[in-house]
Amino acid sequence: MDVLILMILVSVSLGLIFLVLFIISVIKGQFSEDESPAIRLLMDDFASEDGKEIE
């Protein structure tokens, strides 16, 4: 029974640690980039090197 209580405490504390780290990364702006390279790849407006659109 002691092991079960220990496992619950360890799992709850790990969950709280990861929650705090997630909140810190959100506050610092880690997830604020809307147009990542994967999204930019799917956009239709491709531009050549001189700035004109390629049709």
Side-chain angles (χ1 to χ4, degrees):
M1 192 68 173
D2 292 335
V3 174
L4 183 62
I5 294 172
L6 179 66
M7 294 292 283
I8 290 172
L9 290 175
V10 168
S11 64
V12 169
S13 63
L14 276 175
L16 288 175
I17 289 171
F18 283 120
L19 180 66
V20 168
L21 290 175
F22 175 74
I23 290 172
I24 289 171
S25 64
V26 168
I27 289 172
K28 287 188 176 186
Q30 181 73 27
F31 302 108
S32 65
E33 184 178 345
D34 292 335
E35 295 182 9
S36 65
I39 300 296
R40 277 187 248 137
L41 182 67
L42 299 175
M43 298 177 111
D44 285 338
D45 53 351
F46 299 106
S48 63
E49 291 179 9
D50 59 358
K52 297 180 182 176
E53 289 188 10
I54 300 173
E55 296 184 25

